[in-house]
Amino acid sequence: MPSTWWLRNPRYFLYMLREVTSIFVYLYALAFVVQFLLLADRGLFDAFRVLFTSSVFRAFTGVVLVMAVVHAITWWSLNAGVFRIRLRGRTLPPAALFAGGMLAWIVVSGLVYLLVFRGF
Amino acid sequence: MADEIILRVTRYRPEQSPLPFHEDFAVPFRNDMMVLDALAYVKDHMDGSLAFRWSCRMGICGSCGASVEGTPRLTCSTFLHEIRKPIVRVGPLGHFPVIKDLVVDMDDFMRKLQQVMPWIIRESEKPLERGEYSQLPEQVELYRQQSLCINCMICYAGCPVYGLEPEFIGPAALALAYRYNVDTRDHGSKERLARLIGRTGLWECTYVGECSVVCPKNVDPAGAIQRLKAPGAIQAIQILLPPILRR
């Protein structure tokens, strides 16, 4: 297979896009976890917080948000096309699966936001 | 559409040329014409040496898979008018060695099919006089979708993972493994899963999803593989446990 195989088909391209967006989400999660590891050293933690709230990092956060949205959209649209879920004897249409998945993602993200940043 | 369509067929005749080449055939167009009809027209009226597989002409036998405009499809179920192009490209199924023209070598697929043991495995058989192994409709529904597989190998041609890693067991074989693992008459799920949790099995699937998109029978191999991953992971962890803790 040539290294450009993923340009052959729009669905392969979307797959690669979904994979690439994971890297950004992974990097953000890594930076987020590092905060907790630095809690033991107050000086290091404060320095990291300055970095975390800098304009560069805010821009990176914006990019990560866009990537996370792209990831969620491509992942749920793939699931909607792939899975055939039957409910009360009827197969759910792909649009309903996609909408349900996106709604669940938004609700869970909201709950995580409330838990982490607002402490409920 | 025009009265004529150009069928651009990938030819491969290793005894004459080491490389494949394209050949154009001007075929009379009818609105009810399938790609297979056009290939048959070429063979009957223009070039009898064109090689391709076909049998039932109704999307049941799975013989006539080919790449039509770059997408793996059953040629007997693909209308020419669906393609809406004056030149229609037809080639052999991707990711398989080509024997001649559109005929590919199926040996690798057949080997992988046997590897997943796509048959009912019983710990013990009950005597014939006790009757058949009956199932409720909802038990049949658990595997009905995957039992529709016609072994056409179109999912393999669509799967880039199989193209990149030819040892991967692949979508149809894994979907059939799922089909037998959820069959209530079967007792072989552990034995079958043990063959799937290795390097070339379940975990090779990165969920591109193309196999389910191109499948002409809506078997949904991608969904079946994802559903096998949970019991596969449990079995893989159990192997690491001391025997007393294994179920």
Side-chain angles (χ1 to χ4, degrees):
Chain A
M1 291 252 287
S3 57
T4 53
W5 63 267
W6 50 279
L7 294 172
R8 251 192 246 161
N9 173 333
R11 290 184 294 270
Y12 292 168
F13 180 78
L14 283 177
Y15 161 74
M16 285 301 269
L17 187 66
R18 180 161 58 91
E19 296 295 296
V20 168
T21 55
S22 315
I23 296 169
F24 288 84
V25 177
Y26 166 77
L27 288 174
Y28 183 81
L30 195 67
F32 199 77
V33 169
V34 165
Q35 280 187 110
F36 296 102
L37 297 176
L38 295 178
L39 272 174
D41 186 325
R42 191 72 207 177
L44 266 177
F45 180 71
D46 287 342
F48 191 77
R49 283 206 66 176
V50 170
L51 180 71
F52 218 71
T53 50
S54 68
S55 54
V56 173
F57 203 88
R58 278 174 196 272
F60 173 67
T61 307
V63 172
V64 170
L65 178 65
V66 171
M67 293 292 173
V69 170
V70 170
H71 190 91
I73 290 172
T74 52
W75 198 77
W76 281 111
S77 58
L78 171 67
N79 281 331
V82 164
F83 283 101
R84 284 158 190 92
I85 295 175
R86 289 178 69 80
L87 200 66
R88 293 177 186 167
R90 289 178 55 199
T91 304
L92 284 180
L97 272 180
F98 175 72
M102 286 299 288
L103 188 68
W105 175 66
I106 290 165
V107 168
V108 171
S109 298
L111 288 173
V112 170
Y113 173 80
L114 287 174
L115 180 69
V116 174
F117 294 102
R118 293 281 180 268
F120 279 107
Chain B
M1 295 272 294
D3 294 338
E4 210 172 67
I5 198 158
I6 303 293
L7 207 61
R8 181 162 292 168
V9 184
T10 306
R11 307 294 306 266
Y12 178 58
R13 287 177 282 188
E15 70 282 4
Q16 291 173 15
S17 162
L19 294 173
F21 60 95
H22 301 297
E23 194 168 0
D24 287 358
F25 299 97
V27 177
F29 173 79
R30 291 192 325 268
N31 207 38
D32 62 350
M33 212 169 179
M34 300 292 182
V35 173
L36 181 61
D37 295 327
L39 289 170
Y41 184 90
V42 172
K43 191 168 179 72
D44 292 345
H45 300 98
M46 303 168 96
D47 185 348
S49 73
L50 177 65
F52 56 96
R53 286 197 181 104
W54 64 277
S55 181
C56 75
R57 305 175 75 108
M58 56 174 116
I60 300 292
C61 72
S63 305
C64 68
S67 167
V68 180
E69 282 299 310
T71 302
R73 306 182 75 164
L74 289 179
T75 56
C76 74
S77 309
T78 307
F79 280 107
L80 274 175
H81 72 74
E82 277 176 30
I83 297 159
R84 297 175 185 276
K85 284 185 176 174
I87 299 176
V88 176
R89 293 177 296 131
V90 183
L93 284 177
H95 308 153
F96 290 99
V98 182
I99 297 171
K100 186 182 177 189
D101 296 339
L102 306 182
V103 178
V104 295
D105 187 342
M106 301 163 65
D107 287 356
D108 184 53
F109 171 66
M110 299 309 289
R111 187 174 56 81
K112 283 167 178 167
L113 205 55
Q114 288 191 12
Q115 203 176 330
V116 303
M117 299 188 291
W119 53 80
I120 286 175
I121 298 167
R122 299 280 306 173
E123 279 166 5
S124 61
E125 295 288 348
K126 64 182 183 184
L128 279 178
E129 57 271 19
R130 286 181 58 195
E132 70 274 19
Y133 297 104
S134 55
Q135 288 184 304
L136 296 167
E138 52 266 33
Q139 290 173 325
V140 174
E141 203 52 40
L142 291 174
Y143 64 80
R144 193 187 60 78
Q145 189 178 9
Q146 280 69 39
S147 72
L148 299 175
C149 177
I150 56 174
N151 298 335
C152 62
M153 308 188 301
I154 281 177
C155 54
Y156 282 75
C159 173
V161 177
Y162 180 63
L164 292 162
E165 178 47 78
E167 287 303 308
F168 175 42
I169 292 175
L174 288 171
L176 279 170
Y178 173 81
R179 174 253 176 275
Y180 285 96
N181 269 19
V182 297
D183 192 316
T184 53
R185 298 166 296 181
D186 181 80
H187 298 146
S189 62
K190 279 196 172 177
E191 199 181 340
R192 215 173 273 116
L193 270 179
R195 293 174 171 220
L196 308 182
I197 56 180
R199 191 185 59 80
T200 58
L202 291 174
W203 311 110
E204 277 291 308
C205 172
T206 54
Y207 199 15
V208 179
E210 186 70 1
C211 54
S212 292
V213 175
V214 295
C215 175
K217 307 305 280 183
N218 288 330
V219 165
D220 189 10
I225 296 169
Q226 307 324 305
R227 287 193 284 271
L228 273 175
K229 282 181 177 174
I234 291 168
Q235 187 154 323
I237 291 166
Q238 279 178 343
I239 290 169
L240 301 173
L241 296 174
I244 198 164
L245 293 175
R246 291 181 204 163
R247 272 199 298 136

